Amino acid sequence: MTDSREKKPNSSNVAAANQAWGGRFHEPVDAFVARFTASVQFDRRLYREDIQGSIAHAQMLAEVDVLNVDERDQIIAGLEYIEEQISAGNFAWSVAREDVHMNIEAALTERIGSVGKKLHTGRSRNDQVATDIRLWLRHQIDDLTLLVGQLQRGIIILASQHHDTIMPGFTHLQTAQPVTFGHHLLAWNEMLERDFSRLIDCRERLNQCPLGSAALAGTTYPIDRQSSADKLGFAKPSENSLDSVSDRDFAIEFCSAASILMTHLSRISEELILWTSAQFNFIHLPDRFCTGSSIMPQKKNPDVPELVRGKTARVTGNLVALLTLMKSQPLAYNKDNQEDKEPLFDSVDTLADCLRAFADMIPAIVANKDAMYSAAKAGFSTATDLADYLVGRGIAFRDAHEIVGKSVAYGVEKARDLSDMSLGELQQFSSEINIDIFDVLTLEGSVAARSHLGGTAPDAVKAAAVRALARLEQR
Ligand code: ARG
């Protein structure tokens, strides 16, 4: 996140010729163009990774005798000083110096003299920025996966507490069959488990070092790409210089994983919003996650889930922005790519905030068990169980379906659930119905009968929660 102590870029001398590439120019860049083409306003957020990459590059250059040890040490000390200054908010960012890379390089030369000008030997901003974003995103993914795990832990613990809390399960948002609340919660956990593994996959694919690709074709210096990659903790150097400077797949892939994750959070949000309504009344969210209305004194609005649902739109928008940015781009680097950062940063920030909000909120959910139970009972949710019972007595499923349909119609007329009818009433519809039907028609009997792996029975849910927690511990 941008350190609020960092100074805002200063654009007073935007018309000054840019030291880094001004050689072939006859007039200073137009002040508006300088501002328009600059990225320092947002890419200064990469300063730590930019300095980390530069230090590794300087060390590698000394290993292959392109720099001597003294030059290397001056460069590294200068970069470390600049990093401290930026972190302390004492660095004057300049729009005239265009981006984070040239701001730092110019400051280095100001501090240590012309030795600073040797740092850029054998590299370009094209491989530099490709390296910086990968380093930055790798770090962000590490933080985000921890947040996903924290949220999952909260969900799993709540699920084991509610392994036998009965609620209606829905299809088409109509009462379908009874399920346990714990089972429903563990469905959320599975969604997040896949999100976690998508982030890990993305991290693995992005973990290649572009340094040495230079502008696009590589470099004539005797560089050691393996050494640069090792120093920065990359799994290996990237294979092709043209690809390395122009590839933004990793940003698209991250934004895609982030969009799917946000889509999951939006689905969970939607359920929380429904469940807190007076019409459902299945759960309470503590006041600290809600706000009131300025006009309607009775209101307690589920703002946190609503906002997470809403923020899904911007994360999906960022994915579409990056896909559109890269569509039809010819090799290799194009300035278009400067537009990759803001959507990527925004997706990371939004996702981190939403995960944090959810990780705090989910464990605080209070289930209204009575309301859940009555709702499950109200919708003839054990009708399928009656049909299955009849099939067990030798009746064909289609006939059983018909018999149960008639019993439900009778129940609707009398405003009584199947389990509330007498044996005599039920036997009007089939003589195969016996007293043991009541073990089947109760909500408890219905969920307990689904005790296979992945089923909603309390015992199955308890075991699933134990497995889910073990999976989490193994990460
Ligand atoms: N600020 C640029 C970006 O973010 C850095 C790379 C610029 N390279 C160039 N050849 N102009 O993409």
Side-chain angles (χ1 to χ4, degrees), residues 39 43 98-99 101 124-126 129 248 333-335 337-338 340-341:
S39 55
D43 69 11
E98 202 174 318
D99 56 25
H101 323 294
S124 148
R125 279 183 295 154
N126 296 351
V129 70
R248 294 294 182 274
Y333 176 85
N334 300 284
K335 184 75 169 180
N337 289 356
Q338 186 164 288
D340 63 354
K341 286 166 207 64

Coordinates of all heavy atoms in Angstrom, one line a residue, residues 39 43 98-99 101 124-126 129 248 333-335 337-338 340-341, ligand 1:
S39 N 4.3 7.8 -15.0 CA 3.6 6.8 -14.2 C 4.0 6.9 -12.8 O 3.5 6.1 -12.0 CB 3.8 5.4 -14.8 OG 5.2 5.2 -14.9
D43 N 3.3 4.3 -10.0 CA 4.2 3.1 -9.9 C 5.3 3.3 -8.8 O 6.0 2.4 -8.6 CB 4.8 2.8 -11.3 CG 5.8 3.8 -11.8 OD1 6.1 4.7 -11.1 OD2 6.1 3.7 -13.0
E98 N 9.5 10.9 -14.8 CA 8.6 10.0 -15.5 C 8.1 8.8 -14.6 O 6.9 8.7 -14.4 CB 9.2 9.4 -16.7 CG 8.2 8.8 -17.7 CD 8.9 8.4 -19.0 OE1 9.8 9.1 -19.5 OE2 8.5 7.3 -19.5
D99 N 9.0 8.0 -14.2 CA 8.5 6.8 -13.4 C 9.4 6.5 -12.2 O 10.4 7.1 -12.0 CB 8.3 5.6 -14.4 CG 9.6 5.2 -15.1 OD1 10.7 5.6 -14.6 OD2 9.5 4.6 -16.2
H101 N 11.4 4.1 -11.8 CA 12.7 3.6 -12.1 C 13.7 4.8 -12.3 O 14.8 4.8 -11.8 CB 12.7 2.8 -13.4 CG 11.5 1.9 -13.5 ND1 11.2 0.9 -12.7 CD2 10.4 2.0 -14.4 CE1 10.1 0.3 -13.0 NE2 9.5 1.0 -14.0
S124 N 17.1 -2.6 -19.2 CA 16.3 -1.6 -19.7 C 15.1 -1.4 -18.7 O 14.9 -2.3 -17.9 CB 15.7 -2.1 -21.1 OG 14.4 -1.6 -21.3
R125 N 14.4 -0.4 -18.8 CA 13.2 -0.3 -18.0 C 12.2 -1.3 -18.3 O 11.3 -1.7 -17.5 CB 12.6 1.1 -18.1 CG 13.3 2.2 -17.3 CD 12.5 3.5 -17.4 NE 12.6 4.0 -18.7 CZ 11.7 4.8 -19.3 NH1 10.6 5.2 -18.6 NH2 11.8 5.3 -20.5
N126 N 12.3 -1.9 -19.5 CA 11.3 -2.9 -19.9 C 11.5 -4.2 -19.1 O 10.5 -4.8 -18.6 CB 11.4 -3.2 -21.4 CG 11.1 -2.0 -22.2 OD1 10.6 -1.0 -21.7 ND2 11.3 -2.0 -23.5
V129 N 10.8 -3.1 -15.2 CA 9.4 -3.1 -14.7 C 8.7 -4.4 -14.7 O 8.0 -4.8 -13.8 CB 8.6 -2.0 -15.6 CG1 8.3 -2.5 -17.0 CG2 7.3 -1.7 -14.8
R248 N 2.2 -10.0 -19.9 CA 1.5 -9.5 -18.7 C 0.4 -10.6 -18.3 O -0.6 -10.3 -17.6 CB 0.8 -8.2 -18.9 CG 1.8 -7.0 -19.1 CD 2.6 -6.7 -17.8 NE 3.5 -5.6 -18.0 CZ 4.7 -5.6 -18.5 NH1 5.2 -6.8 -18.9 NH2 5.4 -4.5 -18.6
Y333 N 7.7 -4.8 -25.9 CA 7.1 -3.9 -25.0 C 6.4 -2.7 -25.7 O 6.9 -2.2 -26.7 CB 8.2 -3.3 -24.1 CG 7.6 -2.2 -23.2 CD1 7.0 -2.5 -22.0 CD2 7.6 -0.8 -23.6 CE1 6.5 -1.5 -21.2 CE2 7.1 0.2 -22.8 CZ 6.5 -0.2 -21.6 OH 5.9 0.8 -20.8
N334 N 5.2 -2.3 -25.3 CA 4.5 -1.1 -25.7 C 4.1 -0.3 -24.5 O 3.9 -0.8 -23.5 CB 3.3 -1.5 -26.5 CG 3.6 -2.4 -27.7 OD1 4.1 -1.9 -28.7 ND2 3.3 -3.7 -27.6
K335 N 4.1 1.0 -24.7 CA 3.8 1.9 -23.6 C 2.4 1.6 -23.0 O 2.2 1.9 -21.8 CB 3.9 3.4 -24.1 CG 3.7 4.4 -23.0 CD 4.9 4.6 -22.1 CE 4.7 5.8 -21.3 NZ 5.9 6.0 -20.4
N337 N 1.5 -0.9 -21.9 CA 1.6 -1.7 -20.7 C 1.7 -1.0 -19.4 O 1.5 -1.5 -18.3 CB 2.9 -2.6 -20.8 CG 2.7 -3.7 -21.9 OD1 1.6 -3.8 -22.4 ND2 3.7 -4.5 -22.1
Q338 N 2.1 0.3 -19.5 CA 2.1 1.1 -18.3 C 0.7 1.2 -17.6 O 0.6 1.4 -16.4 CB 2.5 2.6 -18.7 CG 2.7 3.5 -17.5 CD 3.6 4.7 -17.9 OE1 4.7 4.6 -18.2 NE2 2.9 5.8 -18.0
D340 N -1.1 -1.3 -17.0 CA -1.4 -2.5 -16.3 C -1.5 -2.3 -14.8 O -2.1 -3.1 -14.1 CB -0.3 -3.6 -16.6 CG 1.1 -3.2 -16.2 OD1 1.3 -2.1 -15.7 OD2 2.0 -4.1 -16.3
K341 N -0.8 -1.2 -14.3 CA -0.6 -1.2 -12.9 C -1.8 -0.8 -12.1 O -2.1 -1.4 -11.0 CB 0.6 -0.2 -12.6 CG 1.9 -0.8 -13.0 CD 3.0 0.2 -13.0 CE 4.1 -0.3 -14.0 NZ 3.6 -0.4 -15.4
Ligands
ARG1 N1 6.8 3.2 -16.8 C1 7.0 2.2 -17.7 C2 5.9 1.1 -17.6 O1 5.3 1.1 -16.5 C3 8.3 1.6 -17.6 C4 8.8 1.0 -18.9 C5 9.0 2.0 -19.8 N2 9.8 1.6 -21.0 C6 9.9 2.3 -22.1 N3 10.6 1.9 -23.0 N4 9.3 3.5 -22.2 O2 5.6 0.4 -18.5

